Amino acid sequence: MARKLLWVVAAIVGLISIAPALIVIPYAFSESGFLDFPPGWGGWQWFEKVLDDPTWGEAAMRSLKVALIATGIASVFGTAAAYALVRARPRFSGMIVGLLVLPMVVPIIIFALGSFALGSDLGLVGSIWTLAIAHAALGLPFVLLNVRASLQLVDPSLERAARSLGAGPLSAFGRVTLPLILPGVLSGAVLAFVLSFDEPVVALFLSQDTDPTLPVKLFQTIRLALEPTVAAVSVMLLILGIAGAALWWVTVRFGQRRLRAAAASVPEGV
Amino acid sequence: MSENGNAVKPPALVVCGLRKDYGDDTVVSDFDFEVADGEFVTLLGSSGSGKTTTLMMVAGLVEPTGGTIEIAGQPVTGVPPQRRNIGMMFQSYALFPHLTVFDNVAFPLKRRRFPKAEISKLVIESLERMQLEGFGHRYPAQLSGGQQQRVALARATAYEPPLLLMDEPLSALDRNLRRSLQDELKRFHRTLRTAILYVTHDQEEALSLSDRVILMTEGRVAQVGTPQEIYQSPRSLFVARFLGESNALKGEVASCKGGEAVVKLRNGQVVGGTCSEPLPAGSQVVVVIRPENLMAEANDADGDGIAISVEEISFLGESVRCRGTFATSEPCTLMVGPDHASELSVGATRRVRWEPSKAVVLPGDT
């Protein structure tokens, strides 16, 4: 009985969490030009419209570029920061982590406003690099925390062993430590990528109306007219998102196997 | 550490005036020592004695505050670790878990840019020498502790470094495994004759493995010598206490001549022992005797030796250990063969004697 009840609760919670994402699917195939209910069957016309309109493709490319740059920056600096924090154990390392994780905690609108203020003072608003750097700051905590967790499981004497065996400091890191923490770096990077790719608030503040990123373009379109094109784009993103989640799941699985193997290498007996 | 007979090779390691400060903390100071070619030298000490710091400075992983280091005749002060051409073994071996056994052993050869064919030849040879044929494709996690040690040795010796450094490689293992791996290390050292600098806090390990032991305390040398020398002729109370058990009897020097001292104990009795330096009459000393060098006899009033009261007897298999109190009311431990155990019984009073040559008289009163 209690078990059945748990199933019902779980089903309701599950439904509520995915319903808003799923509800757009029928609208993407809507018959009329408005988001009417019931949507009816209008075939693939809205998808065709999206694909015919180059501004959607441009927005998607822009988002992809920003996300890739942001992911690159967040991965390199997040990994470097995690390495310094775990290996060198500086004083106040707890405070440093707190500071670096701050973008995760600060309300996004405040962060966006701050980036805008800073960006416009420096005359940098409108460049995809500015947006990418702001997104990198948002993504860095995910890389930092993931890499820190995997780094803590790697025996520091491995790197010393590599040094004694003839590897320089960079080579020792690249050939020994990095392969072992790679799952952490990758899953942090995937999170940072997703975060940047569908982030609208900071992007709204830091991009120009004429060349928006994809989430900004979606927002602009919704404000103008509730056309089913928005639903069609959402469906495409949904598919992309599921693919991304699958990728993330695979890296995590892969990572667990790696780390288990590393942990098991402590000798147990003859 | 015998001469090998061939052309004079420079010592594998010469350390001169080595010093390390961390802020106001001096971890190692005025440290001089040598490891001859092919010699097995152990740095023995408790944690905080500076032994690991010394090893790390030899490896180049910690920078010394002062002093010089020479490896195989080459000064290496300021040279980064990857160019010191040393082999190193770490606690739990530090094998690379993401690389196969073959790639682990090939790692130092690849870093030295050996040609490919040479690498696989050397790796295969090295694995054969360690009786690891056919293990090349396995991962470290799939090996037993003993096999892992052999992989670590193969990896650290594939490029034939003149000096091997070992940082407590066995200390994380259980007792039985440790014993068998010690035997294997000894065999390895006998066949390869690579100079080894070994660090441990385990005195038994140090005594059983080394040609020479350097006992360290508080960043300084307490005593250097063969295991026998250091065990049988400790030069300070610290050394006597650090290595194995010992009995300590306080007293003052009655006379001292030609390396033999006569000491008046607290109960007025007079006993003999050896001393390495002349001791002024009347100075405070401690007579140190190993438990196995005490001989127990019946308590005849006219015999020489000191009375003890027996308080506890434990049978240890190959020997019997007896705890008691000397007539000077200082604690007493003796070890006797099981055949002599019948002469001891709890509560009895016995007399113990020793050969003066087996007792060491050391200055000091603590």
Side-chain angles (χ1 to χ4, degrees):
Chain A
M1 182 62 203
R3 219 181 149 74
K4 265 185 196 156
L5 199 71
L6 271 178
W7 272 107
V8 172
V9 172
I12 292 171
V13 170
L15 205 64
I16 289 172
S17 47
I18 56 170
L22 295 180
I23 203 82
V24 300
I25 296 173
Y27 287 110
F29 301 95
S30 177
E31 213 178 341
S32 84
F34 301 96
L35 294 181
D36 285 339
F37 189 84
W41 176 253
W44 295 87
Q45 55 169 319
W46 303 113
F47 289 90
E48 279 158 22
K49 198 174 174 202
V50 168
L51 294 173
D52 284 345
D53 181 353
T55 60
W56 282 110
E58 281 160 23
M61 279 314 290
R62 205 169 288 123
S63 273
L64 188 66
K65 253 188 230 166
V66 168
L68 285 176
I69 298 168
T71 304
I73 297 172
S75 302
V76 170
F77 285 90
T79 304
Y83 186 78
L85 286 165
V86 175
R87 286 292 189 260
R89 289 191 219 190
R91 275 205 281 178
F92 313 117
S93 76
M95 241 164 76
I96 295 169
V97 173
L99 277 174
L100 290 172
V101 181
L102 217 53
M104 230 166 130
V105 193
V106 170
I108 189 76
I109 189 78
I110 306 288
F111 184 87
L113 203 62
S115 331
F116 177 72
L118 191 65
S120 58
D121 279 354
L122 300 170
L124 295 170
V125 171
S127 149
I128 62 165
W129 285 92
T130 312
L131 178 58
I133 289 168
H135 277 176
L138 287 176
L140 189 130
F142 294 97
V143 178
L144 176 76
L145 295 178
N146 270 296
V147 174
R148 193 174 66 150
S150 27
L151 204 52
Q152 274 159 348
L153 295 174
V154 175
D155 180 359
S157 67
L158 291 177
E159 215 169 298
R160 271 182 251 139
R163 296 296 307 280
S164 77
L165 292 166
L170 277 177
S171 163
F173 175 80
R175 290 172 200 282
V176 176
T177 308
L178 189 59
L180 292 170
I181 60 170
L182 199 59
V185 178
L186 285 181
S187 63
V190 169
L191 289 172
F193 179 88
V194 171
L195 189 103
S196 165
F197 191 76
D198 61 27
E199 197 288 322
V201 184
V202 180
L204 202 58
F205 276 76
L206 289 182
S207 56
Q208 255 144 21
D209 284 356
T210 47
D211 37 60
T213 61
L214 196 55
V216 173
K217 167 98 177 152
L218 279 167
F219 184 66
Q220 286 172 345
T221 314
I222 292 166
R223 260 202 324 189
L224 281 173
L226 275 178
E227 239 188 16
T229 41
V230 177
V233 173
S234 304
V235 169
M236 294 184 208
L237 286 178
L238 196 65
I239 292 164
L240 222 68
I242 290 168
L247 184 71
W248 188 74
W249 182 78
V250 168
T251 54
V252 167
R253 285 274 304 209
F254 178 64
Q256 277 170 348
R257 233 189 21 229
R258 266 278 170 83
L259 293 173
R260 255 204 306 275
S265 73
V266 174
E268 284 162 30
V270 181
Chain B
M1 52 164 297
S2 62
E3 293 292 323
N4 286 345
N6 42 23
V8 188
K9 265 197 174 179
L13 175 68
V14 180
V15 168
C16 210
L18 197 64
R19 179 185 182 88
K20 180 67 191 175
D21 300 326
Y22 286 110
D24 291 338
D25 260 359
T26 299
V27 190
V28 173
S29 63
D30 305 323
F31 196 11
D32 303 291
F33 71 97
E34 265 190 44
V35 179
D37 183 42
E39 193 183 17
F40 195 130
V41 173
T42 298
L43 296 176
L44 173 65
S46 47
S47 61
S49 61
K51 58 189 194 308
T52 300
T53 310
T54 302
L55 193 81
M56 291 298 162
M57 287 193 278
V58 173
L61 294 164
V62 167
E63 195 156 335
T65 314
T68 59
I69 298 167
E70 263 179 40
I71 293 171
Q74 300 291 317
V76 295
T77 321
V79 175
Q82 68 269 25
R83 279 194 236 117
R84 294 197 173 193
N85 201 29
I86 41 157
M88 194 157 180
M89 258 174 84
F90 291 83
Q91 208 181 82
S92 312
Y93 311 129
L95 297 176
F96 305 134
H98 60 301
L99 298 181
T100 60
V101 167
F102 186 97
D103 287 334
N104 262 282
V105 180
F107 189 91
L109 303 171
K110 284 184 184 160
R111 299 293 82 72
R112 284 168 174 74
R113 304 189 190 285
F114 279 49
K116 236 183 174 161
E118 176 99 6
I119 290 178
S120 68
K121 196 188 98 186
L122 283 172
V123 171
I124 288 164
E125 269 175 22
S126 193
L127 289 178
E128 265 170 21
R129 194 163 53 215
M130 295 296 159
Q131 295 156 21
L132 285 165
E133 304 96 327
F135 283 89
H137 61 280
R138 295 216 199 169
Y139 283 90
Q142 299 167 308
L143 302 179
S144 72
Q147 290 163 342
Q148 287 187 17
Q149 165 162 300
R150 280 183 268 145
V151 175
L153 274 172
R155 187 178 68 175
T157 54
Y159 47 103
E160 298 186 356
L163 177 66
L164 260 181
L165 306 178
M166 301 197 180
D167 184 16
E168 312 218 19
L170 306 179
S171 67
L173 309 176
D174 71 70
R175 198 185 164 83
N176 285 334
L177 182 58
R178 215 156 61 203
R179 276 269 162 78
S180 74
L181 294 189
Q182 273 179 26
D183 291 343
E184 202 157 77
L185 262 186
K186 268 183 122 157
R187 192 170 51 79
F188 161 80
H189 180 244
R190 218 171 33 239
T191 48
L192 276 191
R193 298 308 305 175
T194 304
I196 294 176
L197 182 62
Y198 192 94
V199 160
T200 185
H201 65 271
D202 183 327
Q203 37 133 335
E204 253 180 74
E205 204 167 285
L207 294 179
S208 79
L209 288 172
S210 331
D211 295 321
R212 270 192 313 146
V213 175
I214 301 173
L215 180 56
M216 292 184 75
T217 176
E218 289 167 357
R220 290 168 184 279
V221 179
Q223 191 168 345
V224 182
T226 65
Q228 290 86 340
E229 276 166 10
I230 219 164
Y231 182 79
Q232 282 161 8
S233 328
R235 237 178 285 140
S236 66
L237 272 172
F238 170 79
V239 178
R241 293 209 175 109
F242 194 91
L243 288 168
E245 278 187 303
S246 52
N247 292 289
L249 289 163
K250 290 180 198 173
E252 62 178 57
V253 177
S255 71
C256 174
K257 217 191 289 167
E260 277 175 36
V262 177
V263 177
K264 194 170 151 204
L265 299 180
R266 291 208 298 209
N267 67 347
Q269 262 188 292
V270 170
V271 296
T274 57
C275 55
S276 53
E277 52 186 305
L279 299 163
S283 63
Q284 299 293 311
V285 289
V286 181
V287 184
V288 174
I289 317 116
R290 295 286 180 196
E292 64 273 21
N293 291 331
L294 283 177
M295 294 171 287
E297 296 173 343
N299 188 22
D300 301 329
D302 54 335
D304 54 357
I306 307 178
I308 62 158
S309 57
V310 178
E311 281 152 17
E312 204 181 291
I313 296 173
S314 354
F315 180 67
L316 302 177
E318 76 270 39
S319 62
V320 172
R321 191 181 126 104
C322 165
R323 277 196 165 284
T325 308
F326 285 113
T328 60
S329 60
E330 284 155 308
C332 162
T333 306
L334 61 144
M335 299 276 250
V336 295
D339 303 344
H340 300 281
S342 53
E343 290 161 24
L344 298 166
S345 57
V346 176
T349 303
R350 287 286 178 273
R351 206 159 259 278
V352 290
R353 277 194 310 118
W354 61 84
E355 297 285 337
S357 65
K358 298 247 166 104
V360 181
V361 180
L362 299 167
D365 54 4
T366 43

